[in-house]
Amino acid sequence: PGETALVRFRYAQLLTLAQGQVRLVVPTVIGPRYGDASAIGMQPHQVPVTDVLARHPFTLDLELHGDLAGGRLASPSHALALRRTDGGVRVSPAADACLDRDFVLAIDNLAATSFSTVGRDGRGYVALASFCPDTTGAAHPLGLKILVDCSGSMNGDRIDAARTALHQVLSHLDIADSFSFSRFGSAVEHCTRALMAATPRAIAKAGGWVSDTQADMGGTDIRQALLSTFDLGAPVAADVLLVTDGDVWEADELVACAERAGQRVFAVGIGSAPASSLLHMLAIRSGGACELIADPMEADGSIRRMVKRMRQAPVRNAQVNWDGEARWQADAGPLFNGETVHHFAGFFEAAPGSAVLEWCDPASRAPQRAELRIDGAIVEGD
């Protein structure tokens, strides 16, 4: 008691370009989560104790180099102070900040580029090929199951942001689309038992459901809500748009449920500190994508990007072929036009010279490919 502890973390995070934007999130908040922590093996002393009145100061200095330094910088979470340096630009919060919300930096107006990195791994090598493929195809009609979190944790700014986002979703639907609308908390409420055509009358009715949506449905039983929504309107194939703060314990079980269902989950994380790791994992493993909305003003751009992704037919069975013998490879994630997909592979004694990303166009079933030459210097170190 009374002593000071200094804790230093060192880690790396891969940045992903999504339709001209790179978004960096520095999480700062451990909030309360719904569910039974002991059910996933947590001991009582491992469960964080939260206090909404706690106040801890927060400082950050972020240095941007290269193309990122030339992008348009904005933050929905903090006012920014920018200072140009010889190597780029330095970013920090403009005023005293606290650990009460995640730090979010959005960097816009970036060009789609592919790149590679090779580093030593003992006697061998590890290669990273980051593709930004052109998978442009004909937009297909949406079959969309909208599922919104109305639990108590969504109260306040979060439910306001959710309503804003959902109204934006409805504005992007047209007559060829179909959709359903569901709300959940301790239980799930389906406003429709099947997908209905996105006629002007149906959209107007759904707009009323959205306007009436409140954070008054108790806990966050997201597992049962997802399972019920997956079954909705079966056997019609559809994607799920999940709007939630994601504050639950059963992350692995949720991801397994989504993989078994075979339906893409497009997750929209709401609030100043959503459980972004869960939502990203849920989206990527199901073949979908994730957007985080820290401020209602972001809803328009986030939903526009999400709708573009949902209108792309699923690209499955993408693979990367290297010109050397790989001893292991990571799975390539879902492909979306103009968005980064990272792929790792390990090699024994020789670094690869190229990597080829291959996939099939969902409409024509024609094979597509993107080649990336690996000609950079070997990165030394750990």
Side-chain angles (χ1 to χ4, degrees):
E3 295 184 353
T4 298
L6 176 64
V7 181
R8 178 172 295 159
F9 294 93
R10 181 173 180 263
Y11 64 96
Q13 178 178 340
L14 292 172
L15 301 180
T16 298
L17 181 75
Q19 301 176 33
Q21 181 188 86
V22 163
R23 187 181 181 98
L24 175 66
V25 179
V26 180
T28 69
V29 177
I30 300 176
R33 294 191 176 187
Y34 178 80
D36 183 6
S38 64
I40 62 169
M42 299 283 281
Q43 299 298 315
H45 68 277
Q46 295 174 313
V47 180
V49 177
T50 59
D51 180 1
V52 296
L53 299 180
R55 182 176 176 84
H56 303 291
F58 169 61
T59 61
L60 178 141
D61 287 304
L62 181 66
E63 294 187 11
L64 303 180
H65 302 275
D67 293 342
L68 294 180
R72 185 180 65 194
L73 307 178
S75 173
S77 60
H78 295 75
L80 297 179
L82 307 178
R83 182 165 62 88
R84 292 290 169 181
T85 64
D86 293 338
V89 62
R90 176 168 289 182
V91 181
S92 60
D96 292 341
C98 292
L99 296 172
D100 60 350
R101 66 194 63 207
D102 293 348
F103 179 86
V104 182
L105 179 68
I107 310 172
D108 285 296
N109 295 345
L110 300 176
T113 56
S114 299
F115 61 91
S116 63
T117 304
V118 177
R120 292 198 184 276
D121 179 29
R123 295 182 179 179
Y125 301 88
V126 169
L128 165 64
S130 297
F131 296 92
C132 200
D134 181 1
T135 61
T136 305
H140 72 103
L142 293 180
L144 189 60
K145 300 175 180 179
I146 301 171
L147 178 63
V148 58
D149 185 348
C150 294
S151 63
S153 64
M154 288 284 290
N155 199 23
D157 291 343
R158 295 185 179 190
I159 200 65
D160 292 339
R163 283 192 293 261
T164 300
L166 291 171
H167 280 301
Q168 289 291 338
V169 171
L170 296 178
S171 72
H172 286 279
L173 299 179
D174 59 43
I175 193 63
D177 300 327
S178 58
F179 72 102
S180 64
F181 186 84
S182 305
R183 296 182 280 231
F184 77 95
S186 299
V188 61
E189 171 191 321
H190 299 298
C191 296
T192 56
R193 299 303 307 177
L195 275 69
M196 58 184 182
T199 62
R201 181 177 179 180
I203 292 174
K205 188 171 185 178
W209 295 333
V210 171
S211 298
D212 292 339
T213 295
Q214 302 293 333
D216 58 358
M217 295 184 66
T220 312
D221 195 346
I222 190 172
R223 179 180 178 276
Q224 288 302 320
L226 272 175
L227 290 174
S228 180
T229 303
F230 288 145
D231 291 338
L232 192 65
V236 176
D239 297 323
V240 175
L241 178 67
L242 172 65
V243 181
T244 179
D245 56 12
D247 289 337
V248 296
W249 286 110
E250 303 87 352
D252 293 339
E253 187 177 356
L254 284 176
V255 173
C257 290
E259 289 183 308
R260 289 193 297 268
Q263 299 178 36
R264 296 187 298 178
V265 175
F266 292 87
V268 176
I270 295 291
S272 57
S276 56
S277 58
L278 164 62
L279 298 180
H280 277 106
M281 185 169 24
L282 186 63
I284 292 171
R285 296 276 287 276
S286 67
C290 178
E291 285 276 346
L292 303 178
I293 299 178
D295 186 280
M297 297 295 291
E298 288 193 295
D300 182 38
S302 295
I303 295 303
R304 197 182 326 114
R305 289 190 295 271
M306 196 65 97
V307 170
K308 284 184 179 179
R309 298 184 187 106
M310 292 188 294
R311 290 199 183 278
Q312 298 179 45
V315 176
R316 305 191 185 277
N317 301 321
Q319 61 181 11
V320 174
N321 296 317
W322 305 82
D323 70 342
E325 182 180 354
R327 58 181 175 177
W328 57 263
Q329 294 192 54
D331 292 334
L335 297 186
F336 295 102
N337 185 51
E339 301 195 12
T340 306
V341 57
H342 298 293
H343 191 89
F344 282 101
F347 298 86
F348 286 103
E349 297 182 355
S354 66
V356 178
L357 175 66
E358 296 181 340
W359 72 94
C360 284
D361 180 271
S364 65
R365 299 188 179 276
Q368 305 288 324
R369 67 198 311 266
E371 184 172 1
L372 180 60
R373 301 296 303 176
I374 302 175
D375 52 9
I378 303 297
V379 177
E380 302 289 347
D382 59 354

